[in-house]
């Protein structure tokens, strides 16, 4: 038999009330989030797969740590990496969706994330540029990309009507929305896109909510920002990491304070999603040996200013 004093009952009631008012995550946020970034194939003397440093810094600036998700590994490895991390970032780049290690790894983590989220285990995914494109490929099982004239350009985005109710933008500061709407703060570095008409007439429109579109130089409209309807999955065709971290002078990249603020907002949003995941490595030691800090980065002072982590 349990006896509760009047004081204990009151304290319990106050505690329950606080929990309701502050929301379900208030007391259970994971403030040590670790996000996995998928390595992609390359033909380089430094390694067979790589991760651009820009994506690592992008997440770190918002309070996350990063582990590389390597290619060429058994399925069990991907299961563990998903079980031990709090989200996945699928970066931009250029590899085959049919034959690359990147596509193979992406399929593993995507299928696991779908399953986990469906079972109530919150696990966010972010896709940038090619990362967004492969999310579309994984959703429909075929490649829906069409050529567009959209490489090397910085543009504002055209918000779709649903954007203001979206998870991604509903709490965005009004100045960030203003920059996105009126200034060239989103860098496009792609020659293929998901056209709006293809999106609308495919399964993509039932899986994702369209949050913004853009027009290429010839006036062809493509999808530039999405979020999944039932999953914490987000995709951008543009590059929020470049304003702060990519200094390649050969491309039009906006480094002004507004473009930087937009990039920081997007990073903060995704890392706040990762804080809702309680996954963790089995031990601090295992966490430490998996972090990206264990790998060497190579800096190219050849005029591109590229900096990459390489893996065998
Ligand atoms: C990107 O666009 C700028 C401005 O139009 C141009 O000067 C530059 O040469 C372009 N870069 C490439 C690699 O085509
Ligand atoms: C990862 C993935 O889904 N890849 C598929 C993309 O679409 C092509 C067909 O267009 C498939 O061959 C890939 O397997």
């Amino acid at each position: 038999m349990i006896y509760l004093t009047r004081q204990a009952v009151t304290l319990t009631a106050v505690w329950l009330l606080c929990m309701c008012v502050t929301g379900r995550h208030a007391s259970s946020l994971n403030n040590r989030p670790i996000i996995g970034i998928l390595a992609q194939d390359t033909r380089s003397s430094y390694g067979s797969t790589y991760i651009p440093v820009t994506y690592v810094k992008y997440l770190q600036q918002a309070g996350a740590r990063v582990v590389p998700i390597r290619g060429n590994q058994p399925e069990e490895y991907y299961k563990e990496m998903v079980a031990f991390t709090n989200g996945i970032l699928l970066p931009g780049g250029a590899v085959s969706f049919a034959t690359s290690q990147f596509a193979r790894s992406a399929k593993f983590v995507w299928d696991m994330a779908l399953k986990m989220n469906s079972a109530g285990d919150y696990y966010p995914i972010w896709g940038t540029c090619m990362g967004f494109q492969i999310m579309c490929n994984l959703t429909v099982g075929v490649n829906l990309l069409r050529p567009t004239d959209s490489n090397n350009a910085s543009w504002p985005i055209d918000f779709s009507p649903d954007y203001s109710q979206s998870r991604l933008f509903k709490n965005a500061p009004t100045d960030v929305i203003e920059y996105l709407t009126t200034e060239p703060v989103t860098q496009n570095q792609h020659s293929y896109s998901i056209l709006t008409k293809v999106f609308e007439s495919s399964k993509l429109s039932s899986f994702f909510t369209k949050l913004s579109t853009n027009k290429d130089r010839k006036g062809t409209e493509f999808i530039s920002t999405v979020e999944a309807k039932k999953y914490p999955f987000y995709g951008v065709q543009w590059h929020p990491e470049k304003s702060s971290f990519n200094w390649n002078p050969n491309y039009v990249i906006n480094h002004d304070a507004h473009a930087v603020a937009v990039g920081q907002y997007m990073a903060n949003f995704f890392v706040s999603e990762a804080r809702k995941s309680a996954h963790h490595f089995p031990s601090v030691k295992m966490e430490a040996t998996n972090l990206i800090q264990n790998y060497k980065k190579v800096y190219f002072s050849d005029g591109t200013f590229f900096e990459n982590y390489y893996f065998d």
Side-chain angles (χ1 to χ4, degrees):
M1 189 115 193
I2 297 168
Y3 294 95
L4 288 177
T5 63
R6 181 168 300 191
Q7 196 187 16
V9 171
T10 309
L11 281 175
T12 310
V14 166
W15 179 78
L16 282 171
L17 187 67
C18 289
M19 289 299 286
C20 295
V21 170
T22 53
R24 80 183 170 96
H25 294 297
S27 58
S28 59
L29 282 182
N30 167 12
N31 287 324
R32 300 180 65 82
I34 297 183
I35 296 173
I37 303 182
L38 253 61
Q40 66 184 280
D41 317 50
T42 181
R43 291 165 198 273
S44 159
S45 54
Y46 296 106
S48 62
T49 59
Y50 78 104
I51 293 174
V53 171
T54 52
Y55 294 94
V56 175
K57 292 182 174 173
Y58 173 72
L59 294 174
Q60 288 175 338
Q61 75 174 327
R65 286 168 298 163
V66 168
V67 298
I69 309 285
R70 305 178 54 173
N72 301 307
Q73 305 297 311
E75 183 170 2
E76 191 54 32
Y77 164 86
Y78 297 97
K79 265 196 192 135
E80 287 192 355
M81 285 300 135
V82 167
F84 300 161
T85 58
N86 309 109
I88 292 283
L89 186 147
L90 305 169
V95 295
S96 161
F97 287 177
T99 59
S100 64
Q101 282 302 317
F102 176 80
R104 177 178 172 268
S105 317
K107 172 115 181 89
F108 283 142
V109 301
W110 179 262
D111 288 346
M112 290 166 198
L114 284 175
K115 228 184 264 171
M116 279 186 320
N117 281 294
S118 299
D121 183 5
Y122 205 84
Y123 192 80
I125 296 186
W126 183 278
T128 293
C129 198
M130 176 183 71
F132 160 62
Q133 295 175 349
I134 202 162
M135 286 169 78
C136 295
N137 194 312
L138 287 160
T139 302
V140 294
V142 288
N143 194 345
L144 294 178
L145 292 169
R146 303 284 181 272
T148 47
D149 187 352
S150 48
N151 206 27
N152 184 23
S154 285
W155 292 317
I157 54 176
D158 300 318
F159 278 115
S160 308
D162 285 343
Y163 94 94
S164 59
Q165 282 84 51
S166 68
R167 300 184 302 275
L168 181 52
F169 292 119
K170 71 178 173 209
N171 295 320
T174 48
D175 56 351
V176 165
I177 297 297
E178 172 90 10
Y179 308 151
L180 278 164
T181 311
T182 59
E183 299 176 25
V185 290
T186 71
Q187 205 268 357
N188 287 262
Q189 196 72 33
H190 53 105
S191 306
Y192 293 85
S193 307
I194 300 290
L195 305 190
T196 305
K197 62 180 185 200
V198 171
F199 180 90
E200 302 291 5
S201 61
S202 69
K203 197 190 151 194
L204 289 177
S205 54
S206 53
F207 190 83
F208 291 110
T209 302
K210 170 183 75 175
L211 303 185
S212 80
T213 58
N214 272 86
K215 288 202 169 93
D216 80 349
R217 291 188 185 86
K218 299 195 175 96
T220 305
E221 193 181 289
F222 63 89
I223 303 292
S224 46
T225 313
V226 299
E227 70 182 19
K229 292 180 193 291
K230 295 193 185 135
Y231 297 87
F233 298 170
Y234 305 88
V236 285
Q237 183 59 76
W238 47 283
H239 285 271
E241 80 290 351
K242 286 201 181 191
S243 297
S244 291
F245 301 114
N246 185 309
W247 296 94
N248 189 330
N250 303 319
Y251 293 100
V252 180
I253 301 171
N254 187 344
H255 297 290
D256 76 19
H258 292 179
V260 167
V262 165
Q264 289 171 340
Y265 172 76
M266 303 300 272
N268 286 338
F269 174 83
F270 185 58
V271 172
S272 74
E273 288 288 277
R275 289 192 187 96
K276 296 175 188 169
S277 160
H279 294 187
H280 55 83
F281 278 87
S283 69
V284 172
K285 181 158 197 293
M286 191 171 171
E287 174 183 291
T289 53
N290 275 277
L291 290 173
I292 193 92
Q293 284 88 334
N294 291 284
Y295 299 89
K296 276 213 184 80
K297 43 188 178 180
V298 182
Y299 174 63
F300 296 88
S301 55
D302 57 1
T304 61
F305 298 91
F306 284 137
E307 199 176 13
N308 296 322
Y309 287 98
Y310 287 93
F311 310 93
D312 300 335

